[in-house]
Amino acid sequence: MLSNIQIVLVQTFHPGNIGAAARAMKTMGLSRLILVAPRRFPDDEATAMAAGATDVLENARVVDTLDEAVGECVSVIGASARLRNMPLPHFCEPDEMAEHVMTQAASAPVALVFGRERFGLTNEEIQCCTHQMTLPAAPDYPILNLAQAVQVCAHELFTVWRKNPENQYSAPAPVQSTRPTQQQLQAFLQHLDHTLEDAGFHNQPHSRTLERLHAFYIRAQPSKKELSLLRGMLSAFSTPRDNGPSNK
Amino acid sequence: MLSNIQIVLVQTFHPGNIGAAARAMKTMGLSRLILVAPRRFPDDEATAMAAGATDVLENARVVDTLDEAVGECVSVIGASARLRNMPLPHFCEPDEMAEHVMTQAASAPVALVFGRERFGLTNEEIQCCTHQMTLPAAPDYPILNLAQAVQVCAHELFTVWRKNPENQYSAPAPVQSTRPTQQQLQAFLQHLDHTLEDAGFHNQPHSRTLERLHAFYIRAQPSKKELSLLRGMLSAFSTPRDNGPSNK
């Protein structure tokens, strides 16, 4: 359950990152934000960056220490840019982290913990965790902005959530155009052939030009509407122009 | 090839979003940024938000229109929060978009196009695209910040890239601890049994307490080092305390 997932930000320096993280959470169905000793909060910058997610900020819990934040959790994933020399189980693949979190979160609270912008999490804070996680990134510059890391993790969690049919997520459906019948399509292709012939288009014997044009139009899968537009186009090509002699 | 992928931002209003997008790109191995008529660029806010990715900003191309930006591309994916009533092929799954983009980008430039913060892309601009894409998001609030959308897309592209063995991406390896032999592990478990017995721990007949404790320690997969620490712990429990009578 997404509602069992807590995003914990430890000593965030920039209020804008808190707001951006709140927005990232809300776009991915998360709502429980916990701030451990934020430098400045509440703050106008956080509110501005939260955009339509100010409710997440308003409902945020503010605590003094990390163990207060995660005491009720059955799994605590500490996100860090660098690996620690501490043998906690380690997720290097965000989708594996997400599968684990969503499985646990079905029945109890789970926390994802993000550290300070510059310094990440202290070793003591890693000791409050059950797992570590690193986001795969380009070796030249693997340091994602804090709120961006929250967005990527939230996206991975939401992906697992929506792919679970129990959650009945339905994507907004793209416009489905109606398809013509084979008869309608073939009639168009014949119309195309006649229009080309009337226009003096010479189809070399043994050439496959018409076949290839036909295959193109078939592969393009025109809708009924599009077929109608294409037939209109052919009609325009068939009609002699008003000003000028016929080319036939 | 990641270097064939162009990120195109159309008429971005907030310079901070340009900088944050540049950073998102660099963390995921992307470098080619094109700005179509940005409201303010260059700008200190962009530079600040770019953090370690100011080179991406410095190398950004600035053009007046979208078709100038994508003229050389063989595939142009227009990202929008809303579906358009325009029958372009549509990606609703970011990983499918990423597979498509990476396949095309092996041999020719491909563009991902992101529109204005408030208004997205115009219908004319969608006409410069070969595909549309929507990021799945929570129905209550599906509008990701522009740079966050870039980060999620870039993350998906980088995921496809690194999973391709030809690209020889190697994740930083977590600390591998050496494992003890079965003999060492069993010796510890016997030591545990003896220490418990000496401490007056009564194992009920037919109870499976010792078995369960053994199973716990086996499942925990202690490293050699950890086993040594645990044996030290048992020794401490075996040694009578200096101040006070033995409990035996």
Side-chain angles (χ1 to χ4, degrees), chain B residues 179-201:
Chain B
R179 301 178 70 150
T181 64
Q182 277 303 95
Q183 192 178 25
Q184 290 167 324
L185 188 56
Q186 290 301 325
F188 163 75
L189 295 173
Q190 281 175 35
H191 189 179
L192 173 69
D193 290 351
H194 294 149
T195 309
L196 284 168
E197 192 184 336
D198 289 350
F201 180 86

Side-chain angles (χ1 to χ4, degrees), chain A:
Chain A
M1 288 297 296
L2 291 175
S3 59
N4 257 338
I5 300 174
Q6 305 180 6
I7 301 296
V8 183
L9 307 184
V10 178
Q11 287 204 331
T12 309
F13 189 88
H14 295 291
N17 281 334
I18 296 178
R23 181 178 185 174
M25 287 171 61
K26 189 165 182 173
T27 59
M28 297 290 143
L30 303 177
S31 56
R32 295 176 66 176
L33 176 61
I34 307 182
L35 305 173
V36 178
R39 187 179 65 102
R40 287 214 318 257
F41 183 79
D43 187 275
D44 288 348
E45 185 65 15
T47 306
M49 291 301 289
T54 47
D55 56 328
V56 175
L57 292 184
E58 283 152 21
N59 295 325
R61 261 178 76 203
V62 182
V63 297
D64 293 322
T65 61
L66 180 56
D67 47 17
E68 286 176 69
V70 302
E72 300 301 312
C73 297
V74 298
S75 205
V76 182
I77 321 290
S80 60
R82 301 182 310 281
L83 292 175
R84 301 306 177 93
N85 192 6
M86 182 81 165
L88 283 182
H90 196 108
F91 292 111
C92 296
E93 286 295 339
D95 58 355
E96 290 172 8
M97 176 277 295
E99 290 284 353
H100 165 88
V101 168
M102 295 302 291
T103 301
Q104 298 298 315
S107 52
V110 176
L112 260 73
V113 182
F114 297 84
R116 301 153 190 78
E117 288 94 328
R118 276 183 182 276
F119 307 116
L121 297 169
T122 63
N123 283 334
E124 265 177 355
E125 287 157 353
I126 294 279
Q127 301 228 33
C128 291
C129 302
T130 58
H131 297 73
Q132 288 187 86
M133 176 190 57
T134 314
L135 281 175
D140 279 358
Y141 186 49
I143 320 287
L144 276 73
N145 162 268
L146 170 61
Q148 301 276 41
V150 172
Q151 179 79 74
V152 172
C153 292
H155 159 77
E156 291 282 345
L157 292 168
F158 187 68
T159 299
V160 172
W161 181 84
R162 60 184 180 78
K163 289 186 172 181
N164 180 345
E166 289 179 24
N167 295 319
Q168 299 182 313
Y169 170 80
S170 58
V175 170
Q176 288 292 347
S177 46
T178 48
R179 299 177 72 149
T181 62
Q182 279 302 98
Q183 190 177 28
Q184 289 166 327
L185 187 57
Q186 290 299 326
F188 163 76
L189 294 174
Q190 281 174 37
H191 189 178
L192 173 67
D193 289 352
H194 294 149
T195 310
L196 283 168
E197 192 182 340
D198 290 351
F201 179 84
H202 297 295
N203 193 21
Q204 302 297 332
H206 307 302
S207 89
R208 298 177 62 207
T209 305
L210 287 181
E211 278 182 55
R212 286 186 175 139
L213 277 174
H214 287 196
F216 167 76
Y217 280 106
I218 292 168
R219 193 184 80 240
Q221 294 184 3
S223 65
K224 269 181 171 172
K225 169 76 173 174
E226 285 169 334
L227 212 58
S228 159
L229 297 175
L230 288 167
R231 292 199 81 149
M233 176 187 80
L234 291 179
S235 297
F237 291 149
S238 307
T239 311
R241 290 179 198 150
D242 291 341
N243 304 337
S246 162
N247 280 330
K248 295 183 197 157

Side-chain angles (χ1 to χ4, degrees), chain A residues 20 23 26-29 51-52 83 85 93 136-138 141 143-145 147-148 151-152 155-156 158 162 172-175, chain B residues 20 23 26-29 51-52 83 85 93 136-138 141 143-145 147-148 151-152 155-156 158 162 169 172-175:
Chain A
R23 181 178 185 174
K26 189 165 182 173
T27 59
M28 297 290 143
L83 292 175
N85 192 6
E93 286 295 339
Y141 186 49
I143 320 287
L144 276 73
N145 162 268
Q148 301 276 41
Q151 179 79 74
V152 172
H155 159 77
E156 291 282 345
F158 187 68
R162 60 184 180 78
V175 170
Chain B
R23 181 179 185 172
K26 189 164 182 175
T27 60
M28 297 290 145
L83 291 175
N85 192 7
E93 287 294 341
Y141 187 50
I143 321 286
L144 277 72
N145 161 267
Q148 301 276 40
Q151 179 78 75
V152 171
H155 159 76
E156 293 280 345
F158 187 68
R162 60 185 180 79
Y169 171 81
V175 171

Side-chain angles (χ1 to χ4, degrees), chain B residues 36-210:
Chain B
V36 178
R39 186 179 66 103
R40 287 208 323 249
F41 184 79
D43 186 276
D44 288 347
E45 185 65 15
T47 306
M49 292 300 290
T54 47
D55 56 330
V56 175
L57 292 184
E58 283 153 21
N59 295 325
R61 260 178 75 206
V62 181
V63 297
D64 293 322
T65 61
L66 181 55
D67 46 18
E68 285 174 71
V70 302
E72 298 303 311
C73 295
V74 297
S75 204
V76 182
I77 321 288
S80 61
R82 302 183 309 282
L83 291 175
R84 300 310 176 90
N85 192 7
M86 181 79 165
L88 283 182
H90 196 110
F91 292 112
C92 296
E93 287 294 341
D95 58 357
E96 290 173 9
M97 175 278 294
E99 290 284 354
H100 165 87
V101 168
M102 293 303 291
T103 301
Q104 297 299 315
S107 52
V110 175
L112 261 71
V113 183
F114 297 84
R116 302 155 190 77
E117 288 93 329
R118 281 185 178 272
F119 307 115
L121 297 169
T122 63
N123 284 335
E124 264 178 359
E125 288 157 352
I126 294 280
Q127 300 229 35
C128 291
C129 301
T130 58
H131 297 75
Q132 290 187 81
M133 174 190 60
T134 314
L135 280 176
D140 280 358
Y141 187 50
I143 321 286
L144 277 72
N145 161 267
L146 171 61
Q148 301 276 40
V150 173
Q151 179 78 75
V152 171
C153 292
H155 159 76
E156 293 280 345
L157 291 168
F158 187 68
T159 298
V160 173
W161 180 85
R162 60 185 180 79
K163 288 187 172 183
N164 180 344
E166 290 179 24
N167 294 319
Q168 297 183 314
Y169 171 81
S170 57
V175 171
Q176 287 295 347
S177 48
T178 48
R179 301 178 70 150
T181 64
Q182 277 303 95
Q183 192 178 25
Q184 290 167 324
L185 188 56
Q186 290 301 325
F188 163 75
L189 295 173
Q190 281 175 35
H191 189 179
L192 173 69
D193 290 351
H194 294 149
T195 309
L196 284 168
E197 192 184 336
D198 289 350
F201 180 86
H202 298 295
N203 194 20
Q204 300 300 330
H206 309 301
S207 89
R208 297 178 61 209
T209 306
L210 287 183

